[in-house]
Amino acid sequence: MIHFDCDYMAGAHPEVLDAIVKNNLVQTAGYGSDNFCARAKDLIREACGTPEAAVHFMVGGTQTNSTVLDGILGRIDGVIAAETGHINVHEAGAVELFGHKVIALPSHDGKLCPAEVRDYLHDFYADDTNEHMVAPGAVYISFPSELGTLYSLGELEQLNAVCHEYDIPLYIDGARLGHGLAASPDVTLPDIARLADVFYIGGTKMGALFGEAVVCTRKSLLPRFFPLMKAHGAVLAKGRLLGMQFEALFSNDLYLRIGRHAVGLAQRLRKTLEDKGFKSFINSPTNQQFFVLPNEVIDRIQALATFEYWGPRGEIESRVRFVTSWETTEQDIAQLEELL
Amino acid sequence: MIHFDCDYMAGAHPEVLDAIVKNNLVQTAGYGSDNFCARAKDLIREACGTPEAAVHFMVGGTQTNSTVLDGILGRIDGVIAAETGHINVHEAGAVELFGHKVIALPSHDGKLCPAEVRDYLHDFYADDTNEHMVAPGAVYISFPSELGTLYSLGELEQLNAVCHEYDIPLYIDGARLGHGLAASPDVTLPDIARLADVFYIGGTKMGALFGEAVVCTRKSLLPRFFPLMKAHGAVLAKGRLLGMQFEALFSNDLYLRIGRHAVGLAQRLRKTLEDKGFKSFINSPTNQQFFVLPNEVIDRIQALATFEYWGPRGEIESRVRFVTSWETTEQDIAQLEELL
Amino acid sequence: MIHFDCDYMAGAHPEVLDAIVKNNLVQTAGYGSDNFCARAKDLIREACGTPEAAVHFMVGGTQTNSTVLDGILGRIDGVIAAETGHINVHEAGAVELFGHKVIALPSHDGKLCPAEVRDYLHDFYADDTNEHMVAPGAVYISFPSELGTLYSLGELEQLNAVCHEYDIPLYIDGARLGHGLAASPDVTLPDIARLADVFYIGGTKMGALFGEAVVCTRKSLLPRFFPLMKAHGAVLAKGRLLGMQFEALFSNDLYLRIGRHAVGLAQRLRKTLEDKGFKSFINSPTNQQFFVLPNEVIDRIQALATFEYWGPRGEIESRVRFVTSWETTEQDIAQLEELL
Amino acid sequence: MIHFDCDYMAGAHPEVLDAIVKNNLVQTAGYGSDNFCARAKDLIREACGTPEAAVHFMVGGTQTNSTVLDGILGRIDGVIAAETGHINVHEAGAVELFGHKVIALPSHDGKLCPAEVRDYLHDFYADDTNEHMVAPGAVYISFPSELGTLYSLGELEQLNAVCHEYDIPLYIDGARLGHGLAASPDVTLPDIARLADVFYIGGTKMGALFGEAVVCTRKSLLPRFFPLMKAHGAVLAKGRLLGMQFEALFSNDLYLRIGRHAVGLAQRLRKTLEDKGFKSFINSPTNQQFFVLPNEVIDRIQALATFEYWGPRGEIESRVRFVTSWETTEQDIAQLEELL
């Protein structure tokens, strides 16, 4: 059986796991104050081109989103997100648990429209009853989006401009950042670091056992962040594990190699599917592929492969999602293609 | 340099790490719905003698405490704890962040006195203005305590009786549970499971890379716990890692072997210190040893070893803490002893 | 100058104020444990036809909504509301401050569609990833809605049926309940009490200085509610003031007299406006009237009257809102009509 | 029957009530944006000698404390208070509900000791693990204290100096501020305004129906405070009622007249009790008197008067509290004295 359910089904990429194994008996201080973390932060700052940025490591994505947003938002501010945004849909209300409303704007294949964000902010400040409303205190986007789509460099620049016009930070959820960067024709990691005020570099879905690296280029946004992380339960005692993994991910170009590998296989699969006449229902350049398949095809490939079923489309077709990752092999794809 | 700072300075016990390494490429579903977790839960239930208990895995201790307490407490209830309790002192206000007061009662070498807990509860319910006060909704203790001390079986039974008399759960923080069980003359894991309504079996300080296993013997206390964990940022995507580690810890008696190893070395060190005429300032039967040493001795051993400095005692002595763990060797202790 | 801005511009209806004045020097115990509150609760229970209901008094609407919802919702549950619902738009995120998401469904002139609520609930429970989502723990509606519209008795029965089907409470925000009841062709206060699990009878917008009366017909929904109110800052020390006012409002049919008065004048104004050929943009049978007026008419009447401007409609017309209340007189309406 | 239970048993002082009655039919905008509020704020600023201070009106004390503290504290900061502080004991966990720990220091007859506060702050910042602890973000005191005692001007200056040394605000709960000012030999309202960063002038216990006036002399401490009040449910729709009452309280010296009246009667009662040989158990110069009385005396006066019973002291005596207020008359005191 081969698996295309998601990009976090196996353990860690061998180069990441090796870092943990080979340093297992080294003893260090806890809570991230070790040299592995220090080196990993330096590598990340270097890759981002932001020598002054603060870097913080956390364990998982929901934890990272709710902790960072709780840090950058005013006490009762809300955060603008696409209706399909992970924080609005699949984090069990973590943002609200800490007192913040998710202000949901329309999703355009998973993306916010910069002009709509500007209109929302304009209307909010033009409304003289806005002291009775939730103030928008940040903008949240995902790169790539939850639907595998990508903002262009121009769109990111527009979002950055809107945020700066209204003096609120732009926060980018990079759970699959490496897949996005590998697929984007124009956006680089330094672009992300330049255009976001805070973002995170996802590890869990990019070959780590776990771990996300928050990069904050405007340090004043997250003052005294360690105690906030601690209170959120987001500090790992053996923080070194995060340092070791990100050191590996940002050595020898591994982070982008993983992205290119997964995206390359996904695009190969996409081409095969299209060549066979199947239609995608979301046009995704990244490692997630969304296709409408005849139910009979689905039945046939389910004997060999697992993937996400997204519901029927009419009587004889259904929507499905295939995800590739560092674990996926050329052979996995070939096997799947044979059955299509 | 040898280290006695704490019990989470290295990675994982080799048997634990092996479980992660050998299963690295196995693909499973996420969020703890895998067979590793299922097997680990069975092993834990078996070790506890509670075949019906619910078991939940989380990543770290602060996260576990604040999530469990948020689950078992009424919306605005408080939790009774010793003044020295970890939740009252060293979790950056995590319990309060979720709306709950820590009701601090006096610490007796790190422990609550059952009679004082009963008095507090009695007085609360006898006070007819108590609707203006924080209702005590649970009792929190640590086994062993933060000062390395242990409740006797009788004390635990008394606390259990008080809690049941007032119909509130007893919650035991078992960050170092294995060290406590190894050191206790009378308390066993099934006793803990019988006397606590909810407790956790610490992994981080007992040889895991990370991970804590919550055992809830009264399932109605934590209904719908997964979404609460998710909202707290306490769900690990690759939950299997927790399953693998606890499967290892609860195979071949590893959990208690680790406890006995660390406690044995700590008691050997304790005897040496006492034989040399040094006095402990807390009488700890577990893997933490608290001694008053002459400053000249401290200076001498600092060349070889790291440990925690707890402040001066008069002009020529100071209080220090030595902690042993699975990482500590007989040779480490011997080296330290040579310098004393 | 005459005022149609809102229904809380003056103090209290004279019969309400008299109750406060004449009892000013009577001394009572605090926090609502006085006889005025006891009598008012009895009168309310009688008017509702629910002799067993619990009645709780609070000061204002936002406070009432966020406290009641925090009481009836599970720790991290959300509440379904129309996009236009007061809790979603004009309470500055009070519901979220206490950890609960407002799950916004489409507004149909201010109202939820029962079938859409059922679909939402059905889909939630059909989604096997729903443990990662915010569980809908209650349904919130306003009667009348924020746009002055009314649910029919049939619609309320459908909403009640949906809620019971999914075992979640139906909560009705009755900030202007009296205006709604006075205008409804079929819904009575006992109907509201029968079909809602919890609701509140608004005082502030119905002739009180302040005050809202929560009626909970399923007492188990709000156990230990006083401490929760206290922690929310929602307990009035001189609670008697709430008792006195609601005693007055529920004596001599005052509550409905106020409603009929305001609604009668609003409908007279509506007829005049329609007779003059102006169009309403929301069809409201209650004390709020929403019309599109030519800008030149607006300019003319602004010399005499204040009202809410809701924005332009094209180049030469605008949308405005007129609100009547117990303070509005026949003469006020006549004066306005003269200028139209 | 005469009442000495507390200072909020009747309605409002006649001069306060008159202001509400005579302006009842005046129509104003809501939420405190009316001229009554504007004038009251000016009168308060003038009385405080702080022409630039921000003044905010809220309804009750618990609400005020939790809203102000939520405003001035960092997201997870705690607030230092005496163990006996109202926020620590009698507000049902309101401060914790919003995420903040009350850091309880020893009470000295209801008061914090400035040197102990300094020591706490010093030790906190000297502890290099303090990122795992709750940071003290403000100091809370009550003037007068919950036990009727007063800080001297020197003590307030010391507290102010400690707070400024550690750059955290001093917040004064003035629920009974007028009683305290009337009783103090040296502290004036301008002193309070000069030495506190934020404080509130209590209305509820000083002759208002309800209402507390927050004075913030460092405006940057409470930016965007209206939406925070709104989210806390602390905005009164007919905010004018707060303006009218505080305008009355700060006209014709009413606020201090009420204080002097109540304190004068309390001190007369105290002298009588002492002359008869009874002992106070707290030495209170304000309107609360705490005495140990023989049980037979208590039984006798209970036929005539109500007061608070604070528990037995030995077999034949008990502790009781008498409170005077604007409602108390010379005749009430005389009647009580006859029975002693």
Side-chain angles (χ1 to χ4, degrees), chain D residues 55-86:
Chain D
V55 180
H56 308 277
F57 295 120
M58 278 182 272
V59 172
T62 294
Q63 180 183 86
T64 300
N65 285 334
S66 69
T67 308
V68 168
L69 288 170
D70 202 27
I72 66 178
L73 292 171
R75 178 67 180 95
I76 53 167
D77 286 351
V79 54
I80 291 174
E83 270 190 292
T84 49
H86 206 256

Side-chain angles (χ1 to χ4, degrees), chain C residues 230-253:
Chain C
K230 180 76 181 173
H232 274 249
V235 170
L236 190 67
K238 300 183 181 177
R240 58 198 256 142
L241 297 169
L242 296 161
M244 290 168 185
Q245 293 184 88
F246 275 95
E247 194 181 357
L249 286 170
F250 281 82
S251 295
N252 305 314
D253 201 30

Side-chain angles (χ1 to χ4, degrees), chain A residues 3 8-12 17 21 24 26-28 31 62-63 90 92 94 98 204 208-210 230-231 233 238 240 327, chain B residues 3 8-12 17 21 24 26-28 31 62-63 90 92 94 98 204 208-210 230-231 233 238 240 327:
Chain A
H3 301 287
Y8 45 95
M9 300 192 75
L17 189 61
V21 171
N24 188 52
V26 177
Q27 288 179 307
T28 64
Y31 308 113
T62 295
Q63 180 183 86
H90 279 116
F98 297 102
T204 302
L209 289 177
F210 56 86
K230 180 77 181 172
K238 300 182 182 177
R240 58 197 256 146
E327 317 152 34
Chain B
H3 300 287
Y8 44 95
M9 299 191 74
L17 189 62
V21 171
N24 187 53
V26 176
Q27 288 179 309
T28 65
Y31 308 114
T62 294
Q63 179 183 87
H90 279 116
F98 297 101
T204 302
L209 289 178
F210 56 86
K230 179 77 181 173
K238 299 182 181 177
R240 58 196 256 145
E327 317 153 33

Side-chain angles (χ1 to χ4, degrees), chain D residues 174-233:
Chain D
R176 295 184 169 102
L177 185 60
H179 297 317
L181 294 173
S184 172
D186 53 2
V187 178
T188 65
L189 183 53
D191 288 327
I192 296 287
R194 174 173 57 87
L195 296 169
D197 297 289
V198 193
F199 67 101
Y200 83 82
I201 299 171
T204 301
K205 293 174 177 170
M206 294 296 307
L209 289 178
F210 57 86
E212 326 294 331
V214 174
V215 180
C216 180
T217 56
R218 273 173 60 195
K219 284 187 191 179
S220 62
L221 285 175
L222 292 176
R224 296 199 292 146
F225 193 52
F226 185 93
L228 187 68
M229 286 172 57
K230 179 79 182 172
H232 273 249

Side-chain angles (χ1 to χ4, degrees), chain A residues 312-323:
Chain A
R313 167 133 149 191
E315 306 256 314
I316 57 169
E317 294 180 321
S318 297
R319 292 170 301 134
V320 297
R321 184 186 76 159
F322 298 98
V323 185

